[in-house]
Amino acid sequence: MSSRQLRKLQKQQELQKLEAQNPAEDDESNDERPAQKPRASLFSGFAALGDQDEDEEEDGVEDKEDEPVEATKNHTAEPDPTEALADMPKTSSKKSKNKKKKKKGKKQEVAPATVETSLHSEQDEIDRALQELKLERRDGEPQDIHSSMKAFERICELLSINTYHLKVMNEMRNLFGREAIAAAHTEEEQDQTRNRRQQHVLPEQVDLETFLKGQPGKSLSEVTLRRNPFLAGKESWPNATTEGLTMEQLKEGSEGDFVPMPGTAEFRFVHSEKYNLLEERFWDSIQMFEPLAVVYFLHAHPYHISSLIQVSRIAKQDQNSALSADLCERALFTFGRISLSAFRQKLEQGKARISFKRPENRQLWLAGYHYLRNLIMKGTFRTALEWCKLLLSINHADPYGIMHFIHPLAIRAHESKWFIDLCESGMLDVDPEAQDAPDYVRQTLVLARLQQKDTAGAKALMVEGMERLPWLYGLLFKSLNLDVPQCLWGWLPRNQEEDLHTNVYIHQTKGLWDNAQATTLLKEAAKEVKRADPAKAFAFPPPVKSNFGRFVYLLEVPSLIGLVPRGLLDTKVNWEFDPLPPPLEENIFSHSSQTRPWIPGREDHGAGQRDLENLIRNLQDEDEENGADNIFVARPDEAPPGGMGGMFQAFLDMLIPNNFDDGTDADDYAELRGMPGQWYETDLADGMTDDDEMPPLIPIGNTHHSNNDEDDTPDDMPPLIPAETSGSPTPRVSPTPSRNRRTDGDETDTSEKD
């Protein structure tokens, strides 16, 4: 046995003797004695990781103490007492550290109690929200809270917004490169400089686009133009304020349109009194039915949302798509300009909400819809898809039917994986009132699976779709100029709703199916589909909702608009700045002036009628101040008429008094009665009668007049069929008394021959 092993054994034995003699003293001394840190290496100063280094060295001490225990099992010798005394501080430090860990553990036991209370409070809040929603399973059992919340969080995650993809210039740079975009920007600036010179020479001859631009050198600040969450501003836009348009966050106790869910927040746009006056002036301009009046109003107020949208439609009708898109961008820029930081944060989380029932909020969807179509026209599908996500995330009821834009854009933007996740998340089944035909949208999953290289999954979905919607695939084969397979023969949409959904789907996705991979899969899947049973009851789609009708109406495709039920389009209130709004009772109005489009009689007569009303009202006030009688009092035996006819009658009563309460002789105004322009009786000359009736063109009776008094030949046409009697012909009297003609054809012929 070596001397080293003997020393270790002796050290261990002496240590055991010391612990057996003074066990209590060791415990007290360990509590009072400060823990000594082990000597650190020379390189540990660079790390400065206190806790981590201590844990590592504690492990090292434990390893060193295990070695003497193993030695005692195999060897017996006397340990060295000097080494035992040298190692005693290490063991004491280990015990002190263990006690410190126990004390820390006692302190940390309090933390789980607070966590449990917070979890209970969150669960109570979730329970209250779900009770308000009254979520139930289809079989009647209450829905699991955790699963429903997990699905809700998943939908919010899928609809979260990345503001980088909202700006079209970022996608343009990715498609064409920064150098090409910079060159195009330089060329655009040169064109603007050239136009400014021409404008300086001929200031009175400018086009609409130049008239609505800002003055050269007077644009918005660089911070305002660049730091916008929706899109970047342009230097050509005028330098002006929003004139009272702001945004606010609704509190939980205020009047809102959404059930408060954990983490969600509802916002709304606010019109100040100044902005409300602009809305009233804009409405008066619209009632004039003069486009230039709205153009001049927009020139004076360049960031008025309703005017921007209205003039955008005017430019679209003038085939000026560039100006139309520019005005829509300016409207969205204005919305982003006034947005709150809390709104931007919630938007990035997919938990911002905006009510469609407020008229001031609806213009965000309208401007976004028109901007979407411009983005699709440019081919910037990724930016268009992000805008679709934004408009859907702020209101899952989908008031503008944006879902019918999402499924083709997801394929065009190569976001098929995201679209598959969206369909599997249950978004299409969240609100049946919003998504009235989810089966048609799910047919695009076939294209998504193909884009993901999942041919087998795409084929299975296509076979299921052909069995479920045979009329849709039959029309798809026809639109692609393919022979309709036998399994789809004779299948046509059964009602107007199916016809509308089918044609809209073909219109949106025809270009995506027109490729070799998709057409080949269509033919292969058709061979595996069995002939559908006509007696099988396919589920009819529900009646077309207003959101889908609004989507089709704004597509401006006549063949599709003709399929929309007339009840959705034949509404009294339908304007370019607010197409097909909700009924009056479903709106949430912030100002009384917002109800003016629904007031009967005002939507057709406009500002002229109001001017006449104001004129008559002012005349009434002047008469009352002067003490004169009111000449506009209706006759007691007649009710005051309403509408334009009533105003016209009141105006005539002002000019031609009908009530003479002051004792005036009514005969003095006899000639002023009756309809304007009527002939009145006057003194007649000798030989004239006072008969107002026109004389008959042909006198009543059996006599006839001729230019030649000696000629008694009748002037009637001969009959088509001669009389059958052999004697003298019997005259046939015409049933019309005003034309006393005889039909004696034989006498006429004889007299002519004589």
Side-chain angles (χ1 to χ4, degrees):
M1 183 179 292
S2 64
S3 60
R4 182 172 177 272
Q5 292 177 352
L6 291 174
R7 285 195 300 270
K8 286 184 178 181
L9 182 59
Q10 184 180 3
K11 177 188 69 175
Q12 186 67 21
Q13 290 177 355
E14 291 182 359
L15 181 61
Q16 291 176 359
K17 291 179 181 180
L18 290 173
E19 290 178 356
Q21 292 176 359
N22 299 320
E25 294 179 0
D26 290 341
D27 294 339
E28 293 176 359
S29 62
N30 289 335
D31 294 338
E32 295 176 358
R33 186 184 304 168
Q36 296 180 3
K37 294 183 180 180
R39 183 179 297 177
S41 64
L42 296 176
F43 298 98
S44 62
F46 296 99
L49 301 175
D51 296 337
Q52 183 176 358
D53 294 337
E54 291 177 3
D55 295 338
E56 292 177 355
E57 295 198 19
E58 285 179 8
D59 297 336
V61 172
E62 293 177 357
D63 295 337
K64 291 180 180 179
E65 291 181 352
D66 291 338
E67 294 178 1
V69 175
E70 294 177 357
T72 56
K73 294 181 181 179
N74 300 324
H75 307 281
T76 57
E78 296 182 356
D80 189 1
T82 57
E83 294 183 2
L85 293 174
D87 294 335
M88 283 183 65
K90 296 182 180 180
T91 58
S92 62
S93 64
K94 176 183 176 182
K95 293 180 181 179
S96 62
K97 289 180 181 178
N98 292 334
K99 291 185 178 181
K100 286 184 179 181
K101 289 181 180 179
K102 291 180 181 179
K103 292 180 180 179
K104 290 181 181 179
K106 293 180 181 179
K107 294 180 180 180
Q108 293 177 357
E109 287 178 357
V110 185
T114 59
V115 175
E116 290 179 358
T117 55
S118 62
L119 289 175
H120 285 301
S121 62
E122 291 180 0
Q123 290 179 357
D124 294 339
E125 183 181 356
I126 295 171
D127 292 339
R128 288 194 299 269
L130 292 177
Q131 286 177 1
E132 293 178 3
L133 284 174
K134 296 181 180 179
L135 294 175
E136 296 181 356
R137 290 181 180 265
R138 295 182 180 179
D139 54 0
E141 296 179 358
Q143 194 174 21
D144 188 13
I145 297 176
H146 298 287
S147 61
S148 61
M149 289 305 303
K150 185 177 180 180
F152 172 75
E153 293 292 338
R154 178 58 176 165
I155 292 175
C156 294
E157 180 184 357
L158 291 172
L159 296 180
S160 59
I161 304 303
N162 187 352
T163 56
Y164 175 84
H165 295 297
L166 289 177
K167 300 177 181 180
V168 66
M169 194 56 62
N170 295 331
E171 185 176 3
M172 298 287 285
R173 293 191 185 99
N174 296 333
L175 291 175
F176 304 104
R178 293 182 177 273
E179 296 179 357
I181 298 300
H185 184 68
T186 303
E187 184 178 356
E188 183 179 359
E189 290 181 349
Q190 294 176 356
D191 294 340
Q192 291 178 359
T193 304
R194 191 181 304 109
N195 294 334
R196 290 171 186 171
R197 293 175 181 175
Q198 296 177 359
Q199 181 181 358
H200 181 72
V201 176
L202 299 174
E204 70 280 359
Q205 297 180 1
V206 295
D207 56 357
L208 182 61
E209 187 173 0
T210 306
F211 180 71
L212 295 177
K213 288 183 177 180
Q215 298 181 1
K218 295 182 179 181
S219 60
L220 295 171
S221 62
E222 188 71 16
V223 176
T224 305
L225 292 176
R226 303 306 174 199
R227 293 184 180 180
N228 193 290
F230 291 164
L231 45 84
K234 298 181 180 179
E235 296 180 355
S236 60
W237 289 348
N239 184 7
T241 63
T242 58
E243 300 184 89
L245 179 65
T246 57
M247 173 184 269
E248 72 175 10
Q249 180 177 352
L250 294 178
K251 299 181 180 179
E252 295 182 358
S254 60
E255 184 180 4
D257 189 32
F258 299 94
V259 176
M261 297 293 290
T264 60
E266 183 177 354
F267 301 85
R268 76 180 184 97
F269 297 102
V270 182
H271 291 177
S272 64
E273 294 297 333
K274 179 181 179 181
Y275 198 91
N276 187 39
L277 292 176
L278 294 180
E279 286 286 296
E280 293 183 356
R281 291 178 56 189
F282 168 76
W283 176 253
D284 293 338
S285 302
I286 289 296
Q287 294 294 82
M288 296 172 63
F289 295 98
E290 177 59 41
L292 288 179
V294 186
V295 172
Y296 279 105
F297 182 83
L298 178 60
H299 179 73
H301 310 281
Y303 292 100
H304 184 254
I305 302 297
S306 301
S307 303
L308 287 169
I309 296 175
Q310 187 70 30
V311 179
S312 172
R313 306 316 300 157
I314 295 174
K316 188 70 174 180
Q317 294 175 0
D318 292 341
Q319 306 298 323
N320 193 346
S321 300
L323 178 59
S324 177
D326 183 80
L327 296 177
C328 286
E329 290 178 6
R330 194 192 299 184
L332 294 173
F333 173 81
T334 306
F335 283 124
R337 183 180 176 185
I338 63 173
S339 62
L340 302 175
S341 59
F343 174 75
R344 303 176 187 180
Q345 294 175 1
K346 293 296 182 181
L347 199 64
E348 293 177 356
Q349 300 173 6
K351 296 182 178 181
R353 299 291 182 267
I354 296 179
S355 174
F356 188 74
K357 296 181 180 180
R358 299 181 182 272
E360 59 268 23
N361 294 344
R362 290 198 287 265
Q363 294 174 341
L364 175 61
W365 278 277
L366 181 59
Y369 185 97
H370 292 313
Y371 184 56
L372 268 175
R373 297 191 60 190
N374 293 325
L375 291 175
I376 295 173
M377 189 183 303
K378 291 179 181 178
T380 52
F381 304 120
R382 184 64 185 88
T383 306
L385 179 62
E386 200 70 16
W387 274 100
C388 288
K389 291 166 60 177
L390 187 148
L391 297 178
L392 183 60
S393 66
I394 59 179
N395 196 326
H396 291 178
D398 197 10
Y400 266 69
I402 300 299
M403 183 60 71
H404 299 279
F405 271 141
I406 287 180
H407 64 95
L409 284 175
I411 306 302
R412 296 182 186 276
H414 298 278
E415 293 289 331
S416 55
K417 181 63 171 60
W418 173 86
F419 178 67
I420 294 172
D421 295 340
L422 183 67
C423 293
E424 293 177 352
S425 66
M427 178 63 197
L428 298 177
D429 302 325
V430 169
D431 192 353
E433 296 294 329
Q435 308 300 334
D436 50 359
D439 290 338
Y440 291 86
V441 177
R442 287 193 175 96
Q443 302 310 310
T444 313
L445 285 172
V446 177
L447 300 173
R449 293 291 182 183
L450 283 178
Q451 199 172 81
Q452 292 292 319
K453 309 299 182 183
D454 185 8
T455 307
K459 189 175 182 180
L461 290 173
M462 186 177 293
V463 171
E464 181 182 356
M466 287 184 180
E467 294 177 352
R468 187 174 181 84
L469 304 172
W471 53 85
L472 173 64
Y473 283 90
L475 185 59
L476 181 60
F477 272 90
K478 291 181 181 179
S479 62
L480 297 176
N481 296 324
L482 300 176
D483 295 334
V484 180
Q486 188 176 1
C487 61
L488 302 177
W489 285 359
W491 281 103
L492 296 174
R494 297 164 294 175
N495 55 16
Q496 187 176 3
E497 284 78 10
E498 287 184 352
D499 195 10
L500 176 61
H501 285 289
T502 300
N503 284 275
V504 168
Y505 182 84
I506 298 299
H507 178 269
Q508 292 291 99
T509 62
K510 177 184 175 180
L512 299 174
W513 290 93
D514 194 5
N515 58 78
Q517 186 181 14
T519 54
T520 303
L521 188 63
L522 279 171
K523 296 176 182 178
E524 294 178 357
K527 298 177 181 179
E528 299 182 6
V529 176
K530 298 180 181 180
R531 174 66 181 176
D533 186 6
K536 183 179 179 181
F538 293 94
F540 281 90
V544 176
K545 304 297 189 301
S546 59
N547 60 343
F548 188 52
R550 200 176 289 115
F551 170 82
V552 178
Y553 174 74
L554 293 176
L555 277 180
E556 299 178 351
V557 180
S559 60
L560 298 179
I561 295 176
L563 299 175
V564 179
R566 294 295 93 190
L568 294 177
L569 300 181
D570 295 341
T571 58
K572 295 182 179 179
V573 182
N574 188 13
W575 301 93
E576 291 286 354
F577 59 89
D578 192 9
L580 301 178
L584 177 63
E585 60 275 6
E586 296 182 5
N587 286 267
I588 302 176
F589 297 109
S590 303
H591 301 277
S592 59
S593 60
Q594 294 176 339
T595 62
R596 290 175 62 177
W598 283 269
I599 297 178
R602 292 180 182 253
E603 66 272 13
D604 296 327
H605 310 310
Q609 178 177 349
R610 286 191 298 277
D611 294 340
L612 184 58
E613 290 176 358
N614 295 332
L615 174 62
I616 296 174
R617 191 178 298 108
N618 293 334
L619 291 175
Q620 287 177 340
D621 296 338
E622 292 178 1
D623 292 341
E624 291 177 358
E625 292 177 358
N626 298 331
D629 295 333
N630 190 0
I631 64 175
F632 300 100
V633 179
R635 289 185 286 272
D637 56 342
E638 297 181 2
M644 197 63 175
M647 295 307 305
F648 184 71
Q649 183 62 41
F651 185 73
L652 290 180
D653 291 342
M654 180 183 67
L655 300 177
I656 308 172
N658 293 316
N659 300 319
F660 307 96
D661 299 333
D662 55 352
T664 306
D665 189 4
D667 295 336
D668 296 340
Y669 296 94
E671 296 181 0
L672 298 179
R673 297 185 180 277
M675 184 178 65
Q678 178 180 345
W679 291 93
Y680 297 98
E681 297 181 359
T682 56
D683 296 337
L684 300 176
D686 296 339
M688 298 182 63
T689 63
D690 57 352
D691 189 6
D692 294 335
E693 296 181 359
M694 294 290 294
L697 297 178
I698 299 177
I700 301 175
N702 294 329
T703 60
H704 66 275
H705 298 273
S706 177
N707 294 333
N708 188 5
D709 295 337
E710 297 179 358
D711 189 6
D712 296 335
T713 304
D715 56 352
D716 293 339
M717 294 293 293
L720 297 177
I721 301 176
E724 297 179 357
T725 57
S726 59
S728 60
T730 303
R732 300 171 60 186
V733 182
S734 173
T736 306
S738 61
R739 301 295 301 273
N740 187 17
R741 294 185 178 182
R742 293 176 296 175
T743 57
D744 194 356
D746 295 340
E747 293 181 359
T748 304
D749 295 340
T750 304
S751 62
E752 289 179 356
K753 290 180 181 180
D754 294 339

